Each structure stands twice: as C-alpha cells, then as structure tokens.
C-alpha cells in the first residue's frame, strides 16, 4: 500500500500569484455588478413660461413644485409672446404644481431627458383663473386662447339655486357643459336635463351647469325646487334680465318669451374658453326618467320619441375628449357622402366637382361662437395650401346671415347653404363646428368635433395632401 502523498505548502511566489488571481476575479465581479446594476434615469426639465392676453406684469406670486418654491414676478409679454421664468431640473415623475396658494393643478409629468413646458396665464397682474397649461399641446392651446384665436367666456354674475354667486372664475379648472333651460318648459328643456343626467353617469369629472333663459319665472327658489324634483346634483343658475341677457347673447340665444325659447348646449374648457356648441333636440334613445317625462307636453313626447337631430351624449362626450386632449381619431377610410349645395355666390358646390383634390369640409352656423373663433385659421390655412379645397357648410341658414358672417371675417372660401340640414345629417355632424377631412379619392381621412387648433388642422392637412 502506497503511503499518501505529502501535502506541500505552495511556494511563496505561487501564493502571490493565487492572491492576485483572486483579487482580479473579485475586481471583475465588482465591475460586472457595477455595469449590470440599474442606472438611475436621467432627469428631465420643467420649463415655466408666462404670457398674457394684453401684456403687462405679474406681482410677486409664489409657485411650488417638487419641493421647490419660486417667485413669479416682472414683465409678461402679450400672447403669443412668452417669457421663460424658470428652468428646473427634476427627476422623472409627476409633480403637483401650486400657483399663488391655490389648490394644485393635475400632476405635471416630467419625463426623463425631455423638456416639459408649463404656461401660466397672467391677467390683471395675477394668475388668471384656470390659467395653467401643462404640456406642449396645452401650451399651444393656451397661446391661441390668450392671443384671441379662441373666444373667452364673458364675465358674468349670476345666482345659483341656493342664492350663491356664480361667476366665470367659479367655472375655472374643469371642463364645463352649459345648457339653456327654464323650469316651466315642457318640450326641449326636460330633454336637455335628461341629457345632463346621462353625461353625469358617463363623465362625472365634467362640471354641469343649467342656466335659465326665463328670469321672470326662475328665481333661486324655483331652481331649487326643480333640482330636487328631477334629481339633478349640478348647478342651476339665474339672474336679473340684463345679466342673463348678456350671458346668453354671446351664444346667440335670446331670453325666453312665454313658451318661445332657443335650446343650446355649450362646452367651456377648463381655462374658460368656448370650444363647441350644440343646438336643437338631443337624442336620448327615447328614454327619460319619470320625473322629467311626466311633465312633457304632447309636442315634447313627440320630440323624445323622434330621437332628436342626430346628436346625444356620445357625441358630446367625443367633443369633451377632444377639448381635454384625450380624443382618439375617429375611423376614416369610408367614402364621403355625395352632396350638392347651392353656393353663397350662386354656383352649386358638389363633391363630384371637387373629386381629385383633398377637401376640408367645415360645418358651422353664424351665431356659433367657436365657429367664429376658428374661421380665420381655416381661411389662412386654405390660402397657404391652394392644392387643398376648403368648403364651408352653413347649417340651416339662408344667404343673409352667411353673407354677413363671411364679410365680417373676410372669408373667401366657398360657402354652401345646407338649408334643410340634409348634408349635415348625411355627414353625421352633431355639434358645431365639426370639420371632416376628405382625401383626393373621396374617402374620409378623419374628423374633428369642436374648434380646431393649428396643430390638429396641420396634421390632417398633411394626411390628406399626402394621401
């Protein structure tokens, strides 16, 4: 039996080589761990801008974001001019932004390696009610609004059902649906209230307001009784005849005279600007709660069962999504309905006669505030893109109002008179304005409900001109 081999200690040089190998291996592992370890995302930049509808300055106003406190002060340029007041480097995250001690606006998203702009609107030396625009699209909208491209809701002083003041500032911060009504109406007004009940279920984040057109009968007590009777949880408002008259005049709505009144529903964005309008009878699917249907006259019941004029809660929700920047493009690709309209200049306008050119088809009427707001943009865009046809379809009006409207805004694009609303119905248009974009081959590329922005319009122009 062979004895076991003796265990020998390594030579001193061998020991050093072993230690160096182990040390090198440890360093390699440490380096590998360092390389494989997740690296923190690079920060982003929050760019704070100020602008004003009339220029001027802002008194010292605190701004808090991400644990930092700044002071806004100094000169403010007139829109579309802007001044950068702060450039903050922040970790990528959502940040609540508080201006002037007011409740924070919805979180502002700062993205890694990107610049996120925030525009603060200044009016009368301070921050305007609802005057914070976050993100590139909202900043662009803000400059249009402050620059007068969109119409701001006129200031007003009304009383709600509890006798409390309701003014323009009270509507800031949330998109708002405003409907005309009066409590003794037995035809369209109960349908508008029923529509608001549907919107409350589908869009609880939207503010709902019904404002009377009959100051003689609708005092706060009458509004409170109506509110309780029909189960409304939103604001109802009234006022003296002069104040109500001024409020509704901006929508082309006269005050009620007996049973004669005008029905309209308007969408006001969170910054206080008029963005879309609906008129006529909504489609409620033939259904109305008993508290409302029991008060309908025979004419009102006929309106309910007749499904209105082709618009209802789904179309209003589409417009609200567009206003909030959450709108998804409506499907296109189907052939555009053929049409033939008498032109304001006496020449007929037909889809067949426009075939072979990209077409922008805009539906409007003369007393619609957002239609007036966007019309100069449409005309400028048509002038800059002569290969693209622009046709303006005037809904349910004669030549007189259309001609006055065109002359006041220096509109030269062809205007077609849709006197019976047949073309508007064929294109499934509910609210005004609505713009339909048609490719040269006659297929729809898409549509947009509400007043257009330059960015939305240019994107669709590029799509149809290149298609």
């Amino acid at each position: 039996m062979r004895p076991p081999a003796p265990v020998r200690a390594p030579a001193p040089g061998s020991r050093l080589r072993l230690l160096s190998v182990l040390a090198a291996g440890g360093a390699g592992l440490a380096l590998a761990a360092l390389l494989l370890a997740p690296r923190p995302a690079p920060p982003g930049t929050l760019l704070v801008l100020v602008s004003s509808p009339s220029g001027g300055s802002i008194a010292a106003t605190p701004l808090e974001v991400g644990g930092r406190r700044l002071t806004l002060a100094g000169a403010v340029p007139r829109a579309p001019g802007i001044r950068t007041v702060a450039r903050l480097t922040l970790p990528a995250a959502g940040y609540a932004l508080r201006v002037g001690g007011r409740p924070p606006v919805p979180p502002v998203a700062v993205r890694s390696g990107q610049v996120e702009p925030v525009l603060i609107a200044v009016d009368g030396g301070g921050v305007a009610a609802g005057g914070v625009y976050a993100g590139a699209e909202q900043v662009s909208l803000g400059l249009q609004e402050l620059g007068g491209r969109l119409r701001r809701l006129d200031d007003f002083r009304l009383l709600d059902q509890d006798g409390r003041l309701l003014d323009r500032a009270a509507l800031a911060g949330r998109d708002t649906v405003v409907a005309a009504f009066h409590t003794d109406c037995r035809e369209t007004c109960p349908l508008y209230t029923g529509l608001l009940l549907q919107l409350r279920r589908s869009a609880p984040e939207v503010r709902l307001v019904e404002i009377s057109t009959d100051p003689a009968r609708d005092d706060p007590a009458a509004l409170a009784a109506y509110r309780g009777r029909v189960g409304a949880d939103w604001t109802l408002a009234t006022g003296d005849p002069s104040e109500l008259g001024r409020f509704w005049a901006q929508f082309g709505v006269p005050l009620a005279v007996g049973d004669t009144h005008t029905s309209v529903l308007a969408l006001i964005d969170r910054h206080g600007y008029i963005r879309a309008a609906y008129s006529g009878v909504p489609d409620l699917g033939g259904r109305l709660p008993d508290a409302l249907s029991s008060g309908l006259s025979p004419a009102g019941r006929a309106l309910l069962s007749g499904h209105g004029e082709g618009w209802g809660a789904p179309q209003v929700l589409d417009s609200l999504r567009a206003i909030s920047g959450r709108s998804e493009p409506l499907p296109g690709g189907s052939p555009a309905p053929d049409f033939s309209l008498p032109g304001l200049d006496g020449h007929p306008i037909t889809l067949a006669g426009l075939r072979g050119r990209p077409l922008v088809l805009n539906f409007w009427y003369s007393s619609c505030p957002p239609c007036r707001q966007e019309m100069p943009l449409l005309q400028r865009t048509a002038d800059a893109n002569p290969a693209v046809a622009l046709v303006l379809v005037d809904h349910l009006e004669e030549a007189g109002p259309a001609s006055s409207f065109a002359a006041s805004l220096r509109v030269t694009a062809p205007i077609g008179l849709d006197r019976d609303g047949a073309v508007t119905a064929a294109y499934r248009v509910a609210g005004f304005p609505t713009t339909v974009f048609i490719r040269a081959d006659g297929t729809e590329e898409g549509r947009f409900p509400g007043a257009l922005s330059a960015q939305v319009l240019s994107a669709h122009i590029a799509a149809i001109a290149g298609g």
Side-chain angles (χ1 to χ4, degrees):
M1 181 174 181
R2 186 178 298 175
V7 177
R8 297 180 180 178
S14 299
R15 182 178 299 162
L16 290 175
R17 284 194 298 273
L18 177 61
L19 291 174
S20 65
V21 169
L22 291 173
L29 290 173
L31 179 60
L34 181 63
L35 292 174
L36 294 176
R39 297 181 180 182
T45 300
L46 183 67
L47 197 65
V48 183
L49 314 167
V50 292
S51 189
S52 169
S54 56
S57 61
I58 180 172
T61 302
L63 181 148
E64 301 175 44
V65 59
R68 302 190 191 185
R69 184 181 176 89
L70 310 173
T71 298
L72 306 179
V76 179
R78 180 175 182 175
I82 57 175
R83 179 169 75 92
T84 301
V85 295
R87 183 184 292 269
L88 305 176
T89 300
L90 297 168
Y95 292 92
L97 188 146
R98 186 187 298 270
V99 185
R102 299 178 184 182
V105 300
V108 177
V110 175
R111 296 173 176 82
S112 177
Q114 298 184 28
V115 176
E116 185 75 6
V118 172
L119 175 67
I120 297 175
V122 176
D123 196 13
V127 178
V132 178
Y133 300 80
E137 289 189 7
Q138 280 289 304
V139 167
S140 176
L141 170 66
L143 293 176
Q144 289 187 71
E145 293 186 337
L146 299 176
R149 298 281 182 86
L150 299 176
R151 177 169 177 173
R152 190 180 189 186
L153 186 68
D154 293 342
D155 206 357
F156 59 91
R157 293 179 65 85
L158 303 176
L159 296 177
D160 73 5
Q161 70 280 346
D162 298 317
R164 297 173 300 196
L165 174 68
L166 179 73
D167 59 9
R168 184 175 61 192
L171 302 187
R174 292 168 65 190
D175 297 332
T176 300
V177 176
V178 176
F181 91 117
H182 61 85
T183 57
D184 285 345
C185 174
R186 302 178 62 201
E187 295 182 8
T188 56
C189 299
L191 274 61
Y192 273 66
T193 300
L195 173 67
L196 265 58
L197 286 169
Q198 294 181 356
L199 293 175
R200 168 61 75 233
R201 292 192 293 269
S202 301
E205 74 282 1
V206 174
R207 180 187 287 110
L208 306 177
V209 181
E210 285 186 282
I211 297 180
S212 176
T213 58
D214 189 355
R217 289 183 284 188
D218 286 343
D219 60 11
L223 297 183
Y226 180 88
R227 190 173 185 261
R229 184 169 69 251
V230 304
D233 65 354
W234 51 83
T235 298
L236 280 65
T238 187
D240 63 55
S242 61
E243 195 69 25
L244 274 180
R246 281 194 299 272
F247 178 86
W248 283 119
Q250 62 193 314
F251 299 97
V253 175
L255 295 184
V257 178
D259 290 331
T260 303
H261 62 280
T262 301
S263 299
V264 70
L265 181 142
L267 307 187
I268 315 298
D269 71 18
R270 69 196 69 177
H271 311 294
Y273 289 80
I274 304 168
R275 300 290 298 279
Y278 291 77
S279 63
V281 182
D283 181 0
L284 302 183
R287 300 183 301 276
L288 201 61
D290 291 342
L292 291 167
S293 62
S294 62
L296 289 175
S297 66
R301 287 193 290 273
L303 292 175
L304 175 64
S305 62
H307 298 287
E309 297 179 27
W311 66 272
Q315 289 74 28
V316 176
L317 290 169
D318 278 342
S319 292
L320 286 167
R321 281 190 285 270
I323 287 171
S324 67
R326 295 181 288 110
S327 179
E328 297 180 1
L330 297 178
S334 57
D338 199 8
F339 66 82
S340 177
L341 289 170
L344 187 61
D345 61 359
H347 296 91
I349 302 172
T350 66
L351 182 64
L354 295 164
R355 189 65 58 87
R357 292 180 66 191
L359 171 63
V360 177
L361 202 59
N362 178 261
F363 293 84
W364 60 284
Y365 62 93
S366 62
S367 59
C368 160
C371 302
R372 178 173 289 272
Q373 293 159 16
E374 73 169 3
M375 196 62 69
L377 171 64
L378 282 165
Q379 185 63 65
R380 287 195 306 273
T381 303
D383 292 342
N385 296 272
V388 177
L390 169 64
V391 171
L392 309 173
V393 180
D394 184 17
H395 178 61
L396 297 180
E397 290 185 324
E398 294 296 331
S403 180
S404 298
F405 179 92
S408 67
L409 295 176
R410 300 179 181 177
V411 171
T412 59
I415 294 176
L417 300 174
D418 190 19
R419 293 189 175 102
D420 60 2
V423 176
T424 304
Y427 276 82
R428 310 179 312 282
V429 171
F432 299 90
T434 290
T435 307
V436 179
F437 300 91
I438 301 172
R439 300 183 183 92
D441 64 1
T443 59
E444 287 191 31
E445 180 271 330
R447 60 177 55 210
F448 190 86
L452 290 158
S453 68
Q455 287 71 23
V456 169
L457 181 55
S458 63
H460 281 287
I461 291 290
I464 61 175

